[in-house]
mmCIF file of all heavy atoms in Angstrom:
data_model
loop_
_atom_site.group_PDB
_atom_site.id
_atom_site.type_symbol
_atom_site.label_atom_id
_atom_site.label_comp_id
_atom_site.label_asym_id
_atom_site.label_seq_id
_atom_site.Cartn_x
_atom_site.Cartn_y
_atom_site.Cartn_z
ATOM 1 N N VAL A 39 -25.490 30.845 75.425
ATOM 2 C CA VAL A 39 -25.655 32.184 74.847
ATOM 3 C C VAL A 39 -24.568 33.143 75.381
ATOM 4 O O VAL A 39 -24.045 32.959 76.487
ATOM 5 C CB VAL A 39 -27.084 32.708 75.169
ATOM 6 C CG1 VAL A 39 -27.262 32.944 76.659
ATOM 7 C CG2 VAL A 39 -27.431 33.944 74.361
ATOM 8 N N ALA A 40 -24.256 34.181 74.596
ATOM 9 C CA ALA A 40 -23.134 35.081 74.929
ATOM 10 C C ALA A 40 -23.532 36.141 75.957
ATOM 11 O O ALA A 40 -23.552 37.333 75.681
ATOM 12 C CB ALA A 40 -22.594 35.722 73.649
ATOM 13 N N GLU A 41 -23.882 35.659 77.141
ATOM 14 C CA GLU A 41 -24.011 36.528 78.322
ATOM 15 C C GLU A 41 -22.871 36.145 79.255
ATOM 16 O O GLU A 41 -22.481 34.984 79.305
ATOM 17 C CB GLU A 41 -25.330 36.270 79.056
ATOM 18 C CG GLU A 41 -26.577 36.577 78.269
ATOM 19 C CD GLU A 41 -27.849 36.282 79.097
ATOM 20 O OE1 GLU A 41 -27.777 36.184 80.340
ATOM 21 O OE2 GLU A 41 -28.905 36.137 78.479
ATOM 22 N N PRO A 97 -30.361 50.724 67.087
ATOM 23 C CA PRO A 97 -30.947 50.041 68.251
ATOM 24 C C PRO A 97 -30.033 48.986 68.873
ATOM 25 O O PRO A 97 -29.971 48.845 70.094
ATOM 26 C CB PRO A 97 -32.209 49.388 67.690
ATOM 27 C CG PRO A 97 -32.540 50.159 66.452
ATOM 28 C CD PRO A 97 -31.239 50.648 65.903
ATOM 29 N N ASP A 98 -29.368 48.210 68.049
ATOM 30 C CA ASP A 98 -28.403 47.211 68.528
ATOM 31 C C ASP A 98 -27.583 46.798 67.311
ATOM 32 O O ASP A 98 -27.826 47.291 66.195
ATOM 33 C CB ASP A 98 -29.089 46.015 69.225
ATOM 34 C CG ASP A 98 -30.121 45.309 68.348
ATOM 35 O OD1 ASP A 98 -29.932 45.299 67.118
ATOM 36 O OD2 ASP A 98 -31.104 44.775 68.882
ATOM 37 N N VAL A 99 -26.630 45.920 67.508
ATOM 38 C CA VAL A 99 -25.731 45.616 66.390
ATOM 39 C C VAL A 99 -26.477 44.952 65.234
ATOM 40 O O VAL A 99 -26.309 45.328 64.068
ATOM 41 C CB VAL A 99 -24.541 44.753 66.872
ATOM 42 C CG1 VAL A 99 -23.790 44.139 65.692
ATOM 43 C CG2 VAL A 99 -23.601 45.613 67.696
ATOM 44 N N MET A 100 -27.332 43.977 65.531
ATOM 45 C CA MET A 100 -27.984 43.272 64.421
ATOM 46 C C MET A 100 -28.965 44.166 63.664
ATOM 47 O O MET A 100 -29.056 44.095 62.442
ATOM 48 C CB MET A 100 -28.654 41.978 64.899
ATOM 49 C CG MET A 100 -27.672 40.847 65.194
ATOM 50 S SD MET A 100 -26.357 40.603 63.952
ATOM 51 C CE MET A 100 -27.284 40.192 62.482
ATOM 52 N N MET A 101 -29.694 45.031 64.392
ATOM 53 C CA MET A 101 -30.576 45.956 63.668
ATOM 54 C C MET A 101 -29.722 46.947 62.865
ATOM 55 O O MET A 101 -30.097 47.360 61.762
ATOM 56 C CB MET A 101 -31.494 46.706 64.631
ATOM 57 C CG MET A 101 -32.556 45.828 65.283
ATOM 58 S SD MET A 101 -33.394 44.693 64.161
ATOM 59 C CE MET A 101 -34.198 45.832 63.055
ATOM 60 N N GLY A 102 -28.581 47.322 63.417
ATOM 61 C CA GLY A 102 -27.667 48.203 62.687
ATOM 62 C C GLY A 102 -27.168 47.534 61.412
ATOM 63 O O GLY A 102 -27.127 48.150 60.340
ATOM 64 N N VAL A 103 -26.808 46.255 61.513
ATOM 65 C CA VAL A 103 -26.355 45.509 60.333
ATOM 66 C C VAL A 103 -27.446 45.539 59.264
ATOM 67 O O VAL A 103 -27.193 45.840 58.090
ATOM 68 C CB VAL A 103 -26.015 44.040 60.725
ATOM 69 C CG1 VAL A 103 -25.957 43.138 59.510
ATOM 70 C CG2 VAL A 103 -24.701 43.985 61.500
ATOM 71 N N VAL A 123 -20.443 30.838 61.510
ATOM 72 C CA VAL A 123 -20.551 32.232 61.936
ATOM 73 C C VAL A 123 -21.837 32.431 62.743
ATOM 74 O O VAL A 123 -22.782 31.626 62.639
ATOM 75 C CB VAL A 123 -20.480 33.181 60.708
ATOM 76 C CG1 VAL A 123 -21.752 33.142 59.876
ATOM 77 C CG2 VAL A 123 -20.128 34.605 61.108
ATOM 78 N N TYR A 124 -21.865 33.490 63.526
ATOM 79 C CA TYR A 124 -22.992 33.872 64.385
ATOM 80 C C TYR A 124 -24.325 33.629 63.657
ATOM 81 O O TYR A 124 -24.612 34.272 62.629
ATOM 82 C CB TYR A 124 -22.808 35.348 64.720
ATOM 83 C CG TYR A 124 -23.846 35.946 65.631
ATOM 84 C CD1 TYR A 124 -24.101 35.413 66.887
ATOM 85 C CD2 TYR A 124 -24.554 37.090 65.248
ATOM 86 C CE1 TYR A 124 -25.045 35.992 67.727
ATOM 87 C CE2 TYR A 124 -25.490 37.669 66.082
ATOM 88 C CZ TYR A 124 -25.740 37.102 67.314
ATOM 89 O OH TYR A 124 -26.672 37.682 68.135
ATOM 90 N N PRO A 125 -25.160 32.703 64.145
ATOM 91 C CA PRO A 125 -26.341 32.263 63.385
ATOM 92 C C PRO A 125 -27.278 33.379 62.932
ATOM 93 O O PRO A 125 -27.812 33.301 61.809
ATOM 94 C CB PRO A 125 -27.044 31.293 64.354
ATOM 95 C CG PRO A 125 -25.968 30.821 65.269
ATOM 96 C CD PRO A 125 -24.981 31.937 65.396
ATOM 97 N N PRO A 126 -27.529 34.434 63.714
ATOM 98 C CA PRO A 126 -28.446 35.476 63.225
ATOM 99 C C PRO A 126 -27.985 36.161 61.936
ATOM 100 O O PRO A 126 -28.794 36.813 61.272
ATOM 101 C CB PRO A 126 -28.497 36.473 64.396
ATOM 102 C CG PRO A 126 -28.259 35.612 65.598
ATOM 103 C CD PRO A 126 -27.205 34.635 65.139
ATOM 104 N N PHE A 127 -26.711 35.999 61.564
ATOM 105 C CA PHE A 127 -26.295 36.547 60.260
ATOM 106 C C PHE A 127 -27.179 35.966 59.150
ATOM 107 O O PHE A 127 -27.490 36.652 58.175
ATOM 108 C CB PHE A 127 -24.824 36.212 59.969
ATOM 109 C CG PHE A 127 -23.819 37.158 60.595
ATOM 110 C CD1 PHE A 127 -24.151 37.950 61.684
ATOM 111 C CD2 PHE A 127 -22.516 37.249 60.094
ATOM 112 C CE1 PHE A 127 -23.213 38.818 62.264
ATOM 113 C CE2 PHE A 127 -21.578 38.116 60.650
ATOM 114 C CZ PHE A 127 -21.922 38.888 61.738
ATOM 115 N N PHE A 130 -31.252 37.243 59.952
ATOM 116 C CA PHE A 130 -31.547 38.666 59.740
ATOM 117 C C PHE A 130 -31.398 39.048 58.271
ATOM 118 O O PHE A 130 -32.183 39.832 57.737
ATOM 119 C CB PHE A 130 -30.624 39.542 60.611
ATOM 120 C CG PHE A 130 -31.066 39.642 62.053
ATOM 121 C CD1 PHE A 130 -30.956 38.564 62.916
ATOM 122 C CD2 PHE A 130 -31.580 40.827 62.553
ATOM 123 C CE1 PHE A 130 -31.356 38.654 64.248
ATOM 124 C CE2 PHE A 130 -31.987 40.932 63.881
ATOM 125 C CZ PHE A 130 -31.868 39.848 64.731
ATOM 126 N N LEU A 172 -18.801 40.912 57.576
ATOM 127 C CA LEU A 172 -17.586 40.418 58.243
ATOM 128 C C LEU A 172 -17.829 40.375 59.754
ATOM 129 O O LEU A 172 -18.415 41.304 60.314
ATOM 130 C CB LEU A 172 -16.443 41.397 57.923
ATOM 131 C CG LEU A 172 -15.115 41.241 58.658
ATOM 132 C CD1 LEU A 172 -14.391 39.973 58.201
ATOM 133 C CD2 LEU A 172 -14.207 42.457 58.387
ATOM 134 N N CYS A 173 -17.356 39.319 60.401
ATOM 135 C CA CYS A 173 -17.464 39.222 61.861
ATOM 136 C C CYS A 173 -16.044 39.415 62.406
ATOM 137 O O CYS A 173 -15.204 38.530 62.287
ATOM 138 C CB CYS A 173 -18.023 37.850 62.228
ATOM 139 S SG CYS A 173 -18.598 37.764 63.917
ATOM 140 N N ASN A 174 -15.786 40.567 63.004
ATOM 141 C CA ASN A 174 -14.409 40.999 63.329
ATOM 142 C C ASN A 174 -14.355 41.539 64.758
ATOM 143 O O ASN A 174 -14.766 42.680 64.979
ATOM 144 C CB ASN A 174 -14.014 42.109 62.329
ATOM 145 C CG ASN A 174 -12.626 42.679 62.578
ATOM 146 O OD1 ASN A 174 -11.729 41.954 62.989
ATOM 147 N ND2 ASN A 174 -12.438 43.969 62.334
ATOM 148 N N PRO A 175 -13.852 40.740 65.731
ATOM 149 C CA PRO A 175 -13.393 39.355 65.703
ATOM 150 C C PRO A 175 -14.538 38.374 65.407
ATOM 151 O O PRO A 175 -15.692 38.740 65.493
ATOM 152 C CB PRO A 175 -12.860 39.129 67.126
ATOM 153 C CG PRO A 175 -12.580 40.483 67.674
ATOM 154 C CD PRO A 175 -13.585 41.385 67.049
ATOM 155 N N HIS A 176 -14.111 37.132 65.101
ATOM 156 C CA HIS A 176 -15.069 36.158 64.587
ATOM 157 C C HIS A 176 -15.731 35.343 65.699
ATOM 158 O O HIS A 176 -15.055 34.758 66.545
ATOM 159 C CB HIS A 176 -14.355 35.213 63.615
ATOM 160 C CG HIS A 176 -15.289 34.457 62.725
ATOM 161 N ND1 HIS A 176 -15.672 34.904 61.483
ATOM 162 C CD2 HIS A 176 -15.959 33.289 62.919
ATOM 163 C CE1 HIS A 176 -16.516 34.040 60.934
ATOM 164 N NE2 HIS A 176 -16.705 33.051 61.791
ATOM 165 N N ASN A 177 -17.039 35.312 65.669
ATOM 166 C CA ASN A 177 -17.846 34.440 66.522
ATOM 167 C C ASN A 177 -18.332 33.310 65.622
ATOM 168 O O ASN A 177 -18.934 33.610 64.582
ATOM 169 C CB ASN A 177 -19.029 35.259 67.066
ATOM 170 C CG ASN A 177 -20.071 34.429 67.781
ATOM 171 O OD1 ASN A 177 -19.924 33.222 67.919
ATOM 172 N ND2 ASN A 177 -21.150 35.066 68.226
ATOM 173 N N PRO A 178 -18.106 32.028 65.898
ATOM 174 C CA PRO A 178 -17.775 31.409 67.179
ATOM 175 C C PRO A 178 -16.317 31.035 67.391
ATOM 176 O O PRO A 178 -16.006 30.416 68.410
ATOM 177 C CB PRO A 178 -18.590 30.114 67.105
ATOM 178 C CG PRO A 178 -18.442 29.695 65.659
ATOM 179 C CD PRO A 178 -18.465 30.994 64.890
ATOM 180 N N ASP A 205 -19.007 43.704 61.606
ATOM 181 C CA ASP A 205 -19.610 43.597 62.944
ATOM 182 C C ASP A 205 -18.471 43.499 63.952
ATOM 183 O O ASP A 205 -17.785 42.479 64.030
ATOM 184 C CB ASP A 205 -20.499 42.349 62.959
ATOM 185 C CG ASP A 205 -21.072 42.039 64.349
ATOM 186 O OD1 ASP A 205 -20.541 42.542 65.354
ATOM 187 O OD2 ASP A 205 -22.041 41.266 64.412
ATOM 188 N N GLU A 206 -18.263 44.579 64.732
ATOM 189 C CA GLU A 206 -17.116 44.645 65.647
ATOM 190 C C GLU A 206 -17.568 44.624 67.106
ATOM 191 O O GLU A 206 -16.940 45.208 67.991
ATOM 192 C CB GLU A 206 -16.260 45.874 65.273
ATOM 193 C CG GLU A 206 -15.900 45.787 63.784
ATOM 194 C CD GLU A 206 -14.804 46.706 63.278
ATOM 195 O OE1 GLU A 206 -14.518 47.724 63.935
ATOM 196 O OE2 GLU A 206 -14.238 46.374 62.200
ATOM 197 N N ILE A 207 -18.632 43.885 67.362
ATOM 198 C CA ILE A 207 -19.189 43.847 68.722
ATOM 199 C C ILE A 207 -18.205 43.239 69.720
ATOM 200 O O ILE A 207 -18.202 43.606 70.893
ATOM 201 C CB ILE A 207 -20.545 43.084 68.724
ATOM 202 C CG1 ILE A 207 -21.329 43.364 70.006
ATOM 203 C CG2 ILE A 207 -20.362 41.599 68.536
ATOM 204 C CD1 ILE A 207 -22.776 42.879 69.955
ATOM 205 N N HIS A 208 -17.351 42.303 69.257
ATOM 206 C CA HIS A 208 -16.404 41.659 70.175
ATOM 207 C C HIS A 208 -15.050 42.379 70.220
ATOM 208 O O HIS A 208 -14.109 41.884 70.843
ATOM 209 C CB HIS A 208 -16.188 40.192 69.771
ATOM 210 C CG HIS A 208 -17.392 39.317 69.985
ATOM 211 N ND1 HIS A 208 -17.729 38.784 71.203
ATOM 212 C CD2 HIS A 208 -18.374 38.909 69.140
ATOM 213 C CE1 HIS A 208 -18.849 38.074 71.106
ATOM 214 N NE2 HIS A 208 -19.256 38.141 69.855
ATOM 215 N N LEU A 234 -20.261 49.071 66.155
ATOM 216 C CA LEU A 234 -19.558 48.934 67.434
ATOM 217 C C LEU A 234 -20.561 48.990 68.571
ATOM 218 O O LEU A 234 -21.627 49.619 68.444
ATOM 219 C CB LEU A 234 -18.517 50.053 67.567
ATOM 220 C CG LEU A 234 -17.333 49.863 66.617
ATOM 221 C CD1 LEU A 234 -16.776 51.188 66.133
ATOM 222 C CD2 LEU A 234 -16.243 49.049 67.294
ATOM 223 N N SER A 235 -20.223 48.353 69.684
ATOM 224 C CA SER A 235 -21.150 48.308 70.813
ATOM 225 C C SER A 235 -20.405 47.849 72.063
ATOM 226 O O SER A 235 -19.430 47.093 71.972
ATOM 227 C CB SER A 235 -22.277 47.317 70.508
ATOM 228 O OG SER A 235 -23.055 47.083 71.646
ATOM 229 N N SER A 237 -21.982 46.047 74.164
ATOM 230 C CA SER A 237 -22.900 45.010 74.613
ATOM 231 C C SER A 237 -22.214 43.708 75.061
ATOM 232 O O SER A 237 -22.570 43.152 76.098
ATOM 233 C CB SER A 237 -23.901 44.763 73.483
ATOM 234 O OG SER A 237 -24.440 43.506 73.523
ATOM 235 N N LYS A 238 -21.239 43.221 74.308
ATOM 236 C CA LYS A 238 -20.612 41.943 74.684
ATOM 237 C C LYS A 238 -19.577 42.140 75.783
ATOM 238 O O LYS A 238 -19.566 41.415 76.763
ATOM 239 C CB LYS A 238 -19.944 41.270 73.478
ATOM 240 C CG LYS A 238 -20.885 40.731 72.446
ATOM 241 C CD LYS A 238 -21.801 39.642 72.956
ATOM 242 C CE LYS A 238 -23.227 40.099 72.863
ATOM 243 N NZ LYS A 238 -24.218 39.172 73.367
ATOM 244 N N LEU A 242 -24.004 44.028 78.318
ATOM 245 C CA LEU A 242 -25.099 44.995 78.342
ATOM 246 C C LEU A 242 -26.167 44.687 77.286
ATOM 247 O O LEU A 242 -26.866 45.604 76.836
ATOM 248 C CB LEU A 242 -24.537 46.411 78.116
ATOM 249 C CG LEU A 242 -23.463 46.858 79.110
ATOM 250 C CD1 LEU A 242 -22.927 48.241 78.735
ATOM 251 C CD2 LEU A 242 -24.017 46.875 80.526
ATOM 252 N N ALA A 243 -26.324 43.422 76.915
ATOM 253 C CA ALA A 243 -27.270 43.108 75.833
ATOM 254 C C ALA A 243 -28.690 43.566 76.162
ATOM 255 O O ALA A 243 -29.478 43.877 75.268
ATOM 256 C CB ALA A 243 -27.252 41.606 75.533
ATOM 257 N N GLY A 244 -29.023 43.623 77.441
ATOM 258 C CA GLY A 244 -30.366 44.053 77.828
ATOM 259 C C GLY A 244 -30.555 45.562 77.786
ATOM 260 O O GLY A 244 -31.660 46.054 78.015
ATOM 261 N N LEU A 245 -29.486 46.280 77.527
ATOM 262 C CA LEU A 245 -29.558 47.755 77.479
ATOM 263 C C LEU A 245 -29.230 48.171 76.053
ATOM 264 O O LEU A 245 -28.090 48.413 75.688
ATOM 265 C CB LEU A 245 -28.572 48.352 78.491
ATOM 266 C CG LEU A 245 -29.023 48.127 79.949
ATOM 267 C CD1 LEU A 245 -27.848 48.174 80.907
ATOM 268 C CD2 LEU A 245 -30.065 49.165 80.340
ATOM 269 N N LYS A 246 -30.274 48.226 75.237
ATOM 270 C CA LYS A 246 -30.117 48.281 73.787
ATOM 271 C C LYS A 246 -29.491 49.578 73.277
ATOM 272 O O LYS A 246 -30.026 50.669 73.525
ATOM 273 C CB LYS A 246 -31.483 48.125 73.132
ATOM 274 C CG LYS A 246 -32.055 46.730 73.243
ATOM 275 C CD LYS A 246 -31.443 45.826 72.200
ATOM 276 C CE LYS A 246 -32.023 44.425 72.277
ATOM 277 N NZ LYS A 246 -31.335 43.513 71.373
ATOM 278 N N ALA A 247 -28.406 49.445 72.559
ATOM 279 C CA ALA A 247 -27.776 50.560 71.851
ATOM 280 C C ALA A 247 -26.574 50.025 71.084
ATOM 281 O O ALA A 247 -26.006 48.990 71.450
ATOM 282 C CB ALA A 247 -27.308 51.645 72.816
ATOM 283 N N ALA A 248 -26.213 50.720 70.024
ATOM 284 C CA ALA A 248 -24.998 50.407 69.269
ATOM 285 C C ALA A 248 -24.722 51.598 68.350
ATOM 286 O O ALA A 248 -25.543 52.526 68.255
ATOM 287 C CB ALA A 248 -25.151 49.117 68.465
ATOM 288 N N HIS A 279 -23.755 52.230 77.747
ATOM 289 C CA HIS A 279 -22.659 51.941 76.805
ATOM 290 C C HIS A 279 -21.636 53.077 76.823
ATOM 291 O O HIS A 279 -20.425 52.843 76.738
ATOM 292 C CB HIS A 279 -23.214 51.777 75.391
ATOM 293 C CG HIS A 279 -23.986 50.509 75.158
ATOM 294 N ND1 HIS A 279 -23.838 49.729 74.034
ATOM 295 C CD2 HIS A 279 -24.929 49.887 75.911
ATOM 296 C CE1 HIS A 279 -24.654 48.683 74.097
ATOM 297 N NE2 HIS A 279 -25.340 48.765 75.223
ATOM 298 N N THR A 323 -12.768 37.250 72.181
ATOM 299 C CA THR A 323 -14.122 36.856 72.617
ATOM 300 C C THR A 323 -14.013 35.999 73.883
ATOM 301 O O THR A 323 -12.916 35.764 74.400
ATOM 302 C CB THR A 323 -14.939 36.078 71.543
ATOM 303 O OG1 THR A 323 -14.510 34.718 71.481
ATOM 304 C CG2 THR A 323 -14.828 36.726 70.167
ATOM 305 N N PHE A 324 -15.143 35.491 74.340
ATOM 306 C CA PHE A 324 -15.138 34.533 75.460
ATOM 307 C C PHE A 324 -15.758 33.221 75.008
ATOM 308 O O PHE A 324 -16.400 32.522 75.767
ATOM 309 C CB PHE A 324 -15.864 35.112 76.688
ATOM 310 C CG PHE A 324 -17.163 35.827 76.380
ATOM 311 C CD1 PHE A 324 -18.308 35.107 76.083
ATOM 312 C CD2 PHE A 324 -17.218 37.211 76.387
ATOM 313 C CE1 PHE A 324 -19.500 35.753 75.792
ATOM 314 C CE2 PHE A 324 -18.411 37.883 76.094
ATOM 315 C CZ PHE A 324 -19.559 37.141 75.803
ATOM 316 N N LEU A 325 -15.543 32.916 73.709
ATOM 317 C CA LEU A 325 -16.175 31.759 73.099
ATOM 318 C C LEU A 325 -15.126 30.761 72.628
ATOM 319 O O LEU A 325 -14.109 31.164 72.061
ATOM 320 C CB LEU A 325 -17.021 32.210 71.906
ATOM 321 C CG LEU A 325 -18.031 33.323 72.247
ATOM 322 C CD1 LEU A 325 -18.604 33.940 70.978
ATOM 323 C CD2 LEU A 325 -19.124 32.792 73.157
ATOM 324 N N ARG A 380 -20.137 25.293 70.707
ATOM 325 C CA ARG A 380 -19.520 26.551 71.167
ATOM 326 C C ARG A 380 -19.734 26.669 72.663
ATOM 327 O O ARG A 380 -20.850 26.550 73.148
ATOM 328 C CB ARG A 380 -20.159 27.744 70.450
ATOM 329 C CG ARG A 380 -19.399 29.045 70.695
ATOM 330 C CD ARG A 380 -20.194 30.254 70.242
ATOM 331 N NE ARG A 380 -21.314 30.517 71.126
ATOM 332 C CZ ARG A 380 -22.137 31.582 71.009
ATOM 333 N NH1 ARG A 380 -21.950 32.444 70.026
ATOM 334 N NH2 ARG A 380 -23.130 31.759 71.856
HETATM 335 C C1 PLP B 1 -21.049 38.730 66.297
HETATM 336 C C2 PLP B 1 -22.268 39.222 67.023
HETATM 337 N N1 PLP B 1 -23.014 40.199 66.481
HETATM 338 C C3 PLP B 1 -24.117 40.668 67.080
HETATM 339 C C4 PLP B 1 -24.530 40.151 68.299
HETATM 340 C C5 PLP B 1 -25.794 40.666 68.901
HETATM 341 O O1 PLP B 1 -25.649 41.995 69.210
HETATM 342 P P1 PLP B 1 -26.911 42.910 69.510
HETATM 343 O O2 PLP B 1 -27.600 42.304 70.698
HETATM 344 O O3 PLP B 1 -26.334 44.269 69.773
HETATM 345 O O4 PLP B 1 -27.748 42.872 68.270
HETATM 346 C C6 PLP B 1 -23.776 39.154 68.912
HETATM 347 C C7 PLP B 1 -24.206 38.591 70.192
HETATM 348 O O5 PLP B 1 -23.652 37.678 70.720
HETATM 349 C C8 PLP B 1 -22.619 38.683 68.259
HETATM 350 O O6 PLP B 1 -21.859 37.724 68.809
#
Side-chain angles (χ1 to χ4, degrees):
V39 66
E41 297 180 19
D98 56 31
V99 166
M100 285 315 298
M101 291 316 297
V103 163
V123 73
Y124 181 57
F127 276 21
F130 280 71
L172 171 70
C173 195
N174 178 35
H176 198 92
N177 171 2
D205 174 342
E206 306 194 339
I207 196 168
H208 291 279
L234 289 147
S235 170
S237 155
K238 290 298 117 182
L242 303 177
L245 289 156
K246 289 280 181 186
H279 288 224
T323 78
F324 43 76
L325 307 167
R380 190 192 72 176

